[in-house]
Amino acid sequence: MRIGVLKESAPRERRVALTPDAAARLIKQGSSVAVERGAGAGAHYPDAAYEAAGCTLVDSAEAESADLVVAVRRPTAERAARLREGAVLVALSAGDPGEALAALNGRRVTVLALERVPRITRAQSMDVLSSQATVAGYRAVILGAEALPRFLPMLTTAAGSITPAKALVLGAGVAGLQAIATARRLGAMVTGFDVRAAAAEQVESLGARFLAPEAVAGDAETKGGYAKELAEEQQQKVLEAVAGAIGQADLVIATAAIPNRPAPRLITTAMVESMKPGSVIVDVSAETGGNCELTRPGETVHHADVTILGPLDLPAGMPQHASQMFGRNVQTLLDHLAPKGALTVDLDDEITGAMCLAHEGTLRHRGNG
Amino acid sequence: MRIGVLKESAPRERRVALTPDAAARLIKQGSSVAVERGAGAGAHYPDAAYEAAGCTLVDSAEAESADLVVAVRRPTAERAARLREGAVLVALSAGDPGEALAALNGRRVTVLALERVPRITRAQSMDVLSSQATVAGYRAVILGAEALPRFLPMLTTAAGSITPAKALVLGAGVAGLQAIATARRLGAMVTGFDVRAAAAEQVESLGARFLAPEAVAGDAETKGGYAKELAEEQQQKVLEAVAGAIGQADLVIATAAIPNRPAPRLITTAMVESMKPGSVIVDVSAETGGNCELTRPGETVHHADVTILGPLDLPAGMPQHASQMFGRNVQTLLDHLAPKGALTVDLDDEITGAMCLAHEGTLRHRGNG
Amino acid sequence: MIPHVLAELGYLLASACFIVGLKRLGSPATAPAGNRLSAWGMLIAVVVTLLDTQMVSWTAIVIGLVLGSGIGLWMARTVQMTSMPQLVALLNGFGGAASVLVAGAEFLRSELAGEAIPPETGVVIQLSLLIGAVTFSGSLIAWAKLQEVMTGKPITWPGQKLMTGLIALGIVGLAGWQLTDAASLLPAFYTVIGLAVVLGVLLVIPIGGADMPVVISLLNSYSGIAAAMTGFVINNHVLIIAGALVGSSGIILTRIMCKAMNRSLANVLFGAFGQTAGTGGAIGASSEGLTVRSVSAEDAAVQLAYAQQVIVVPGYGLAVAQAQHVVRELADLIEKNGGTVRYAIHPVAGRMPGHMNVLLAEANVPYDKLFDMDAINDQFEQADVALVIGANDVVNPAARSDPASPIYGMPILDVDKAKSIIVMKRGMNPGFAGIENALFYHPRTAMLFGDAKGSLSALVSEIKAL
Amino acid sequence: MIPHVLAELGYLLASACFIVGLKRLGSPATAPAGNRLSAWGMLIAVVVTLLDTQMVSWTAIVIGLVLGSGIGLWMARTVQMTSMPQLVALLNGFGGAASVLVAGAEFLRSELAGEAIPPETGVVIQLSLLIGAVTFSGSLIAWAKLQEVMTGKPITWPGQKLMTGLIALGIVGLAGWQLTDAASLLPAFYTVIGLAVVLGVLLVIPIGGADMPVVISLLNSYSGIAAAMTGFVINNHVLIIAGALVGSSGIILTRIMCKAMNRSLANVLFGAFGQTAGTGGAIGASSEGLTVRSVSAEDAAVQLAYAQQVIVVPGYGLAVAQAQHVVRELADLIEKNGGTVRYAIHPVAGRMPGHMNVLLAEANVPYDKLFDMDAINDQFEQADVALVIGANDVVNPAARSDPASPIYGMPILDVDKAKSIIVMKRGMNPGFAGIENALFYHPRTAMLFGDAKGSLSALVSEIKAL
Amino acid sequence: MSEGIIIGIVIFTLATFLGFELIQRVPPTLHTPLMSGSNAISGITIVGALVVAGGGFGWISTVFGIGAVAFAMMNVVGGYAVTDRMLRMFSKDGGGK
Amino acid sequence: MSEGIIIGIVIFTLATFLGFELIQRVPPTLHTPLMSGSNAISGITIVGALVVAGGGFGWISTVFGIGAVAFAMMNVVGGYAVTDRMLRMFSKDGGGK
Ligand SMILES: NC(=O)c1ccc[n+]([C@@H]2O[C@H](COP(=O)([O-])OP(=O)(O)OC[C@H]3O[C@@H](n4cnc5c(N)ncnc54)[C@H](OP(=O)(O)O)[C@@H]3O)[C@@H](O)[C@H]2O)c1
Ligand SMILES: NC(=O)c1ccc[n+]([C@@H]2O[C@H](COP(=O)([O-])OP(=O)(O)OC[C@H]3O[C@@H](n4cnc5c(N)ncnc54)[C@H](OP(=O)(O)O)[C@@H]3O)[C@@H](O)[C@H]2O)c1
Ligand SMILES: NC(=O)c1ccc[n+]([C@@H]2O[C@H](COP(=O)([O-])OP(=O)(O)OC[C@H]3O[C@@H](n4cnc5c(N)ncnc54)[C@H](O)[C@@H]3O)[C@@H](O)[C@H]2O)c1
Ligand SMILES: NC(=O)c1ccc[n+]([C@@H]2O[C@H](COP(=O)([O-])OP(=O)(O)OC[C@H]3O[C@@H](n4cnc5c(N)ncnc54)[C@H](O)[C@@H]3O)[C@@H](O)[C@H]2O)c1
């Protein structure tokens, strides 16, 4: 199997879909890997490293012509049109505008959407959502600490005592838990908040306090471990709980999300105005609209002496390790798709089936793509 | 005594010399405090807070006309010219261009330079260099973590294992030690480096490894606990030691300094070129020229896939707590200068004498100002 | 014959040997020497007796000595290491029988010679007979249960307790009659012995096989008392001293053993009647009829204290218990004892990527002691103990072997290859994946139940106390 | 008079009271009850004796009882708490004297009545006299040293050892002569007693006042043996049992006391001759002639285990020792024992701002247990123990009182207001400021020398072992 | 009651107290050896057995004597030997260490 | 040697062993009370003193008897009383606790 690695073209996207290390593992299994020149530069993987790993460095056209093309984000329509007929494309395909997919399908390209890896134990090592959320949770705290006009840890000094910062983490999924851990490492007093009952123990297992919204827990979790969208009345309780806690917080990391839905609104303008001067909100959910009413995706908003960050490129901001993890996920997935280098797309397979958006000219999973 | 608090005018200077809390303590001792409107805004201390603390909010002219004027940085020549004859000015006066001081002296203003507080035990609580270096050391790591394309902590995940980052801290003074502590908190493996022999124990007391330059230690320390400038040959040994360690480092925090001298050069261009792709240098000493040859003060340099930060505004970047500590230092100093609100400038006093650059028309400490 | 004073001093020396020997038996370092010292004491006692007593005939002595030593030595040499407990039971029973025979001989001699037995001598003879006989038959039953000659399950029937009580009463009555009535009462004598043998059987039969060690220890204590009573009968101090020593130290040992099993002595002896086998049974049996082996912190501590290579496998339970600092403490302790400790971090242990790293970093566990799965998996075979702390799915062999399992295909930590496995968790709850874990039923696995933090603290204290 | 059998049983009961009482005296919770039980035993023994013995005359008995009880009670009631050890010494001496008198009376009685004393009785009488007399005079010297009636310093002179040896030899010789020669040897008898009294003086006089408790404990053991010998003389078992108990348990206690002082018994008894006062002296004296009081981890552990309020004052030494995790462990343990632990953080403790915060955060000490100087300084008065770990300058009272000191004017933590202060450091080195610290010479301060991590670990083990 | 019995009781009492104190903390691995070792000590009945066997009381001595000596001796010899075997496992290579 | 002495030696030996075992770990605060309490027990010489004092051996009984009883009684009464005083300090409010 010949694998092509594309250089990303989206703005601020510094990741690469396959690192030299991951590529080397695939080559060992019998594949050949063609890497577009400069693909890893943004993530600090120089071309030389790919060469050393046994890849061939190629121009973009050649990378596009591989049997299987991997990229972090789905390539532009222009590049997609250059894919080989019957090729397989593995990439994130979020926010699918329909058209691009249709075009690919027209060329009978098999499209495997990385964000659709099912969250079963066996597929954990292929799950880019988890790995990139880990980066996002860590990085959100670093960005928050940078934006804060104060220390996170407690400090008793000759120039007076610095009280520890209070951090509030909304949503205790993968990113939220990582944020909790990172903020605690830096010495903040951390409170975690989630609607899923199982989150309480997980938050406490990191040494943080859990804030339980009244009368919501229990039925807020789907079978897959995700949160459901809440009924009006429940949503009200959640808002009350957040409102009660946010006034004390110096740093808020908002990571609440519901799959395939806009992010739940948890922080209203009034709540922002009740916060202490100088406090900071990092809205990790900005991409899906943000947990905060005032969030503007990709921008930094100042409101009532509160700073609201809406970063869109959290994992891409830490491209070296984000790519390392992404690449490892992709490599494990390819090992699964093509054991010993021979590619077969088996739609009955639990993982492949769930990921596949287009195959042999047929679109799949339209309803919840 | 009437104390005037100026609003800072330097670009990026967001600190304020007296916080509402510190002002309240002075007022309790019998002074009155006039705060220039908006002085605390940059540090997230709103005017209302000053009012609540018992200060009067005034325009700039009125603040300038106080008996004792405090500011973070020495005011512009223009503003200085408006100070009352015989007034006392308390501020940082670093990089004194001579002229400004002469002008102040001409108006018989007593100038007390905050960076000249002697490093004796009794004066520790007035020592803004220590308090601001604390902020700088912490913040340098936060900035470094933000600029790094990788994690600091170790992480074993389904997407592979992330090795912990290696941090190298050059100079284990106040800022360096704080940087060591912060990097360790974030999970990095930290090595500290200094020429003073006493630093070894201090670095190890933070759980970090100490790297001793060969045959330098011992006589590299002055009586005051500072480092001396090194002889050519010693300097060579130091460079060798740094060169030997820097190739492994992902993050370098450079804080080495020698009082009243340009920062020692510890990182050459060749060393930067020997570093791993994606690594980051935060040069805390940028203000005095930087420990790294390539540092450009106030700018970010990319060289050979290494990012070199030369931040000039480290404490100002965390204005709320930096101001809190600064204000506490200033307040303790004023308590010392004017016990119970009655100001006397006693040049025989160990602390006042050391700080005073100009008094009753006479310039002092010219040689090492 | 030697002067009696010398004999007394010889016996005293023998007693001192028993005392010091017994004390030394209590700690691993000194136990072998202690046992040898006590054996010397026994030799001294025998020699002194042979020199001191007016021996009318040597035949019986020689026959008995040769026979007894030969059989004893042969049994000790040939017994399987795993059958030790039943051998001890058997030997103990012989001791009881010897007491019965000595006291019986004394009784018969006086009786047949028509001598009046003074009441206090009568009492001690009766006690010697009674306790000896109970020890004898009880020990044989214990042996039979352990040897699986009879079922190891408790044997109970309605009215059993009443029956036992009646027999005991009968013995007391008959013995009293014998004492008060000066006339020769040989039938009563034999009846008492017979009833005592039955009593021994009745007392042990309702106790389960797993509790036999405690029963043997108790019977051992009895046999000591029987020996002491024999000492009263023949008015010999070394018998009294040695017997009393064994009697009381045996009681203490029995209590220690019960405590190690987290049970009371009463529960061991009469537990079967209540029909509640205690908490142990409730969690003891899996759906497929396999059983888990539960271990006490004390026992686990001994294993860890003497282990050369320990691999700690932390899981989500460690995080829930927030036991990261204690685990570090335990590791430090093991290393101080000369072992090495490594941590095996599974990629998905815990509930977020890097969960275990965060915890262990907090406890300042050096990075170079953390190993990821690929690096450590072939090290388990050399590990003396794999200490699984609150981990479940990540050590579930179903991932390797059971294609129907939801975790099939996930690589796991090969803890089951370790020489011994200790699993710490609160109960038998499944982990995240909600499935059973065959590791817990593995023959080399011991479960240390309880909150991980509590269990780890207990281990630390126990190791320090060793 | 009661039947002798009853008396024997009464004595046995008394002995049992002593045994159980003595055992209970070894642990704080049971000690008061233990002492009372042993007192009951004594009462039983006295009553049994009065009932059992054919009392020819009661006058001596009544006079003696009234006199002895009165004086004893008066002394026990009026003695200062601080003079307890010398009272014990005195009482112990009286015990020795009583043994001398009893044995002496036996000897004189036989001697005057012209009865031949069998050799074994002679030996025990001699032993009783000898040990009793040594105990008597030795105890009086110990009392005098402690009461400061005579100097507490060791008194030695050249040839002292030789002299002691010769006297001991003389005693043996005379005693032997008395035994072998059947003739009345009253002068020899009195000479032996006289020499034994001198021997007691000679044995104790070269030992320093600070070591007197060990000496008293040893003499106490002797007086037990004397009592046992008296038991042989009058052929009474309760005397033998109680005396032997005291004799052997006294030896063990002496050894424990020596271990607590980190010395060997030989060093205590003969140390003065070597003229090296051990390591303790080297660091014991400050330049101004003040002395520091060093404490063992065992002692400090007891203080902490029973403390209600503990304030920990960490300093740079804690960081150097990297003892943050152990200090947390210790605190947990104290809290488990019912105490509260707070941490007093001085603004400049350590070598960088917030140094202590970083450390304690690493050990996961909750923020609400950390107090800054202003918040905690008025709490020290209520603290049972202030535990200063590797801090020096920040607790130096010179900052308050000595204008010449480089640290004058720096606010410090008021640890010297605490009810008791334990300072942990490696030696008497000064801190950052390079100046001496009067706190270490404070009467309520005890120094626990050693690396902070080691000392803290030791404290943890000791508290767990209590 | 005879003096002999009284003294016996005294000695019995003391030895019983002593037995209670001798055994304090025993690591579980030593439970079985300790039990076995103390069981061997209870074979001290051999002293009584020898007295009976050598006493020359006719058939009583022969029957009861041989039996008592043989049983007691099995207890003694078997007990010490098997204890020794168990204990040897703990040293160096075998068993727990 | 008389049987009485022999039995005395046996009893003495057992009691000595018992004494060694009774005291194991004693917290330092208990050192003095324990010493004092066992010192009181050594006042058991009172039994001998009473025998002497009540024995009617003329002046020996009077002089030695009164002395012995008085000394022993001081040891006993003073010893128990002072031990009790010390121990009471440990409970509840006083002293260490
Ligand atoms: N790492 C990740 O990123 C991630 C994310 C989501 C899900 N997961 C999943 O989580 C699982 C992780 O496996 P794991 O082995 O670490 O954990 P696990 O399989 O969830 O098992 C944890 C065990 O710890 C025990 N436990 C809980 N609290 C305890 C306490 N206080 N003291 C002692 N034991 C306690 C529980 O048993 P008792 O109740 O009987 O005590 C439980 O069986 C995997 O299935 C993985 O797929 C991982
Ligand atoms: N916090 C800051 O920002 C800062 C900065 C610079 C200077 N300072 C100065 O540093 C001092 C801090 O006071 P401090 O009380 O924390 O410390 P300190 O006065 O420096 O005393 C520390 C003591 O700890 C002992 N020690 C060292 N290692 C030890 C170990 N391993 N185990 C046990 N003890 C050990 C040393 O005595 P032994 O050698 O006898 O054991 C020493 O006396 C002040 O004078 C302050 O002015 C503070
Ligand atoms: N293979 C696996 O076993 C595996 C892998 C990764 C994650 N997971 C599990 O999947 C779950 C979700 O992970 P995720 O991070 O992708 O989730 P996510 O990104 O979809 O959501 C983030 C968090 O927001 C929370 N949330 C949603 N609505 C909320 C509201 N109104 N208020 C507060 N919180 C709200 C959710 O409960 C979730 O915890 C977790 O339980 C995680 O442990 C399982
Ligand atoms: N009042 C007090 O007691 C007090 C207060 C604050 C600081 N101090 C002490 O003052 C000293 C210096 O503090 P600072 O942070 O202001 O110092 P600084 O900012 O002047 O220098 C920072 C560090 O750089 C080091 N350095 C200089 N040249 C070097 C070279 N060529 N290579 C490597 N390292 C080099 C110095 O040794 C120093 O540790 C420290 O010992 C500190 O503990 C004392």
Side-chain angles (χ1 to χ4, degrees), chain D residues 6 20 38 43 64 75 107 123 162 185 206 211 230 293 410 415 455:
Chain D
L6 257 188
V20 177
S38 131
L43 185 65
M75 288 196 296
F107 179 85
V123 169
L162 185 74
L185 280 166
D211 290 335
T230 315
R293 186 162 58 94
M410 174 175 88
V415 286
S455 298

Side-chain angles (χ1 to χ4, degrees), chain D residues 411-427:
Chain D
I412 60 155
L413 289 166
D414 297 338
V415 286
D416 49 355
K417 302 220 174 102
K419 293 186 195 140
S420 155
I421 306 138
I422 299 175
V423 177
M424 303 169 109
K425 57 204 297 287
R426 296 166 305 184

Side-chain angles (χ1 to χ4, degrees), chain A residues 152-161 164 184 186-189, chain D residues 345-348 352-355 357-358 364 367 370-373:
Chain A
L152 287 185
M154 182 182 189
L155 237 53
T156 310
T157 78
S161 288
R184 283 214 359 113
L186 273 170
M189 297 176 71
Chain D
I345 313 293
H346 190 280
V348 302
M352 70 163 202
H355 203 159
N357 300 106
V358 172
N364 235 4
Y367 281 140
L370 309 188
F371 292 83
D372 63 20
M373 189 170 54

Side-chain angles (χ1 to χ4, degrees), chain C residues 257-322:
Chain C
M257 287 167 78
C258 286
K259 234 181 79 187
M261 293 166 61
N262 233 331
R263 317 240 324 251
S264 72
L265 184 55
N267 179 284
V268 169
L269 296 183
F270 309 118
F273 293 108
Q275 292 301 6
T276 52
T279 47
I283 48 174
S286 90
S287 43
E288 298 113 68
L290 292 164
T291 53
V292 305
R293 187 161 59 95
S294 157
V295 75
S296 72
E298 221 179 334
D299 254 313
V302 174
Q303 262 192 58
L304 288 169
Y306 294 97
Q308 287 300 315
Q309 300 238 22
V310 176
I311 299 181
V312 173
V313 179
Y316 180 54
L318 179 78
V320 172
Q322 286 283 293

Side-chain angles (χ1 to χ4, degrees), chain A residues 305-321:
Chain A
D305 215 359
V306 174
T307 306
I308 302 151
L309 274 58
L312 288 179
D313 53 353
L314 279 171
M318 231 165 76
Q320 196 171 33
H321 273 162

Side-chain angles (χ1 to χ4, degrees), chain A residues 248-290:
Chain A
Q248 279 91 54
D250 298 294
L251 175 62
V252 177
I253 309 283
T255 75
I258 299 164
N260 305 322
R261 299 252 142 268
R265 276 286 141 81
L266 297 175
I267 309 173
T268 62
T269 305
M271 287 188 209
V272 171
E273 284 160 2
S274 78
M275 290 177 75
K276 293 189 276 186
S279 36
V280 169
I281 299 173
V282 182
D283 200 335
V284 179
S285 305
E287 205 146 348
T288 50

